[in-house]
């Protein structure tokens, strides 16, 4: 608890200013939780003062974030610098300004360890960005989406506590660490982390959660909203190298956005912390 502050220190302000990507967790009118991607050139996120950040970006067409902020102002933000494996989280209350920018008033500010982050270097924004992203919505995972998830080495998870607010966090591992059980259920290992248990604590109270998978090559995003539960079965956990427990997730809705971001990345290497 001592590592969680209420203000944004100068190093964190400089870190935020240099990022082209942030993930925001939010809650919709039906109390479902979503994780959304916001991208842009560095300067996308600006610390206005020690308590406030401004995000100069609009969500992609089809992303529920805009509607969610009109219904519920609780948000969780994670900024991550893949090349250096640095990350920080900021949770608070958001408002959408007249110019479309998002302002977040910080309530919790803290950094995280570098475990399980795959190193990627941002190379810039693609000049061929489609201004009208193609949006695909359904209640189950299509076969190509299942393959995408099974090949992923990174995803983000948003969770919400009715009193503590909304949070966004990162999960990583070697490709295949997330397993698709069927067209509406996933499971992944929970590895030893920073022992804060923000996500697991929220899920234990409120199972609603949102997942975000980013296609770093083709510019697509895959958002899932549904219900998560913690599995304490040690026999099942033993099937996943390094797992202390498992998290199972039932899908309620899927949103895939082709052209969900315009960033170009080069893969560098896997985290040395990833269980083999």
């Amino acid at each position: 608890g001592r590592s969680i502050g209420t203000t944004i220190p100068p190093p964190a302000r400089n870190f935020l200013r240099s990022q082209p990507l942030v993930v925001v967790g939010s809650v919709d009118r039906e109390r479902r939780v979503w994780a959304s991607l916001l991208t842009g050139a560095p300067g996308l996120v600006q610390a206005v003062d020690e308590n406030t950040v401004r995000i100069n970006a609009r969500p992609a067409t089809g992303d529920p974030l805009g509607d969610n902020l009109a219904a519920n102002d609780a948000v969780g933000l994670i900024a991550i610098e893949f090349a250096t494996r640095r990350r920080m989280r900021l949770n608070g209350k958001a408002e959408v300004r007249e110019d479309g920018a998002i302002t977040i008033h910080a309530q919790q500010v803290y950094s995280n360890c570098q475990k399980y982050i795959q190193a990627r270097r941002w190379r810039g924004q693609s000049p061929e960005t489609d201004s009208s992203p193609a949006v695909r919505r359904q209640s189950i995972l299509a076969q190509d989406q299942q393959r995408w998830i099974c090949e992923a080495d990174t995803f983000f998870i948003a969770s919400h506590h009715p009193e503590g607010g909304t949070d966004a966090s990162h999960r990583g591992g070697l490709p295949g660490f997330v397993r698709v059980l069927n067209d509406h259920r996933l499971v992944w290992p929970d590895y030893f982390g920073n022992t804060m248990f923000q996500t697991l604590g929220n899920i234990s109270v409120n199972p609603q959660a949102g997942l975000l998978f980013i296609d770093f090559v083709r510019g697509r995003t895959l958002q899932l909203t549904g219900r998560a539960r913690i599995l304490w079965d040690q026999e099942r956990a033993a099937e996943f190298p390094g797992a202390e427990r498992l998290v199972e997730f039932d899908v309620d809705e899927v949103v895939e956005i082709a052209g969900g971001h315009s960033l170009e990345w080069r893969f560098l290497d896997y985290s040395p912390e990833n269980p083999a």
Side-chain angles (χ1 to χ4, degrees):
R2 290 190 297 271
S3 64
I4 300 177
T6 58
T7 60
I8 309 165
R13 298 182 212 176
N14 294 334
F15 175 77
L16 288 172
R17 191 180 303 116
S18 65
Q19 302 312 310
L21 171 157
V22 291
V23 173
V24 179
S26 64
V27 181
D28 69 15
R29 296 182 186 279
E30 299 173 25
R31 311 302 296 177
R32 301 181 304 175
V33 179
W34 295 85
S36 299
L37 179 66
L38 294 174
T39 64
L44 163 77
V45 184
Q46 297 281 347
V48 178
D49 54 43
E50 66 177 9
N51 301 108
T52 312
V53 298
R54 174 185 170 98
I55 306 175
N56 299 301
R58 297 173 185 265
T61 300
D63 189 307
L65 178 60
D67 289 339
N68 294 358
L69 295 182
N72 191 314
D73 63 358
V75 296
L77 178 148
I78 180 169
I80 187 165
E81 189 171 73
F82 291 102
T84 62
R85 298 188 168 101
R86 297 164 62 203
R87 57 179 163 171
M88 67 164 289
R89 287 153 75 177
L90 185 152
N91 302 336
K93 300 292 186 181
E95 59 179 316
V96 180
R97 314 296 293 186
E98 291 184 3
D99 60 1
I102 301 169
T103 298
I104 302 177
H105 304 283
Q107 296 176 320
Q108 298 177 333
V109 181
Y110 54 105
S111 59
N112 278 156
C113 67
Q114 300 179 350
K115 291 180 178 179
Y116 319 120
I117 298 175
Q118 324 319 329
R120 288 178 164 88
R121 188 171 301 282
W122 176 60
R123 299 194 296 189
Q125 292 182 278
S126 171
E128 301 178 359
T129 304
D130 186 350
S131 60
S132 301
V135 182
R136 179 180 176 189
R137 287 181 177 269
Q138 61 234 30
S139 59
I140 59 173
L141 292 163
Q143 288 292 325
D144 61 324
Q145 294 168 339
Q146 294 180 42
R147 288 193 296 271
W148 177 352
I149 292 170
C150 289
E151 294 170 357
D153 58 39
T154 298
F155 74 93
F156 295 86
I157 179 168
S159 58
H160 178 77
H161 188 285
E163 297 175 2
T166 305
D167 182 76
S169 187
H170 163 275
R171 293 292 183 271
L174 293 175
F177 85 107
V178 184
R179 299 183 187 178
V180 177
L181 303 181
N182 53 47
D183 62 9
H184 62 274
R185 180 169 293 174
L186 318 175
V187 64
W188 64 84
D190 190 69
Y191 301 138
F192 178 78
N194 53 32
T195 67
M196 296 180 75
F197 301 106
Q198 294 283 79
T199 300
L200 296 188
N202 286 351
I203 289 172
S204 68
V205 174
N206 174 21
Q208 295 291 335
L211 309 185
L212 169 68
F213 293 84
I214 301 172
D215 185 334
F216 293 97
V217 176
R218 301 177 183 84
R220 300 178 298 166
T221 58
L222 183 65
Q223 295 169 274
L224 315 178
T225 190
R227 291 148 290 120
R229 58 187 166 277
I230 305 165
L231 304 181
W232 302 98
D233 186 335
Q234 289 302 304
E235 289 188 8
R236 285 193 64 183
E239 300 173 8
F240 295 75
E244 294 196 324
R245 61 198 69 78
L246 305 178
V247 179
E248 200 167 67
F249 183 85
D250 288 326
V251 176
D252 288 332
E253 187 173 356
V254 179
V255 176
E256 179 184 338
I257 305 176
H261 71 90
S262 61
L263 303 183
E264 293 186 341
W265 299 85
R266 179 168 67 89
F267 178 82
L268 299 178
D269 56 38
Y270 291 113
S271 168
E273 304 284 347
N274 290 339

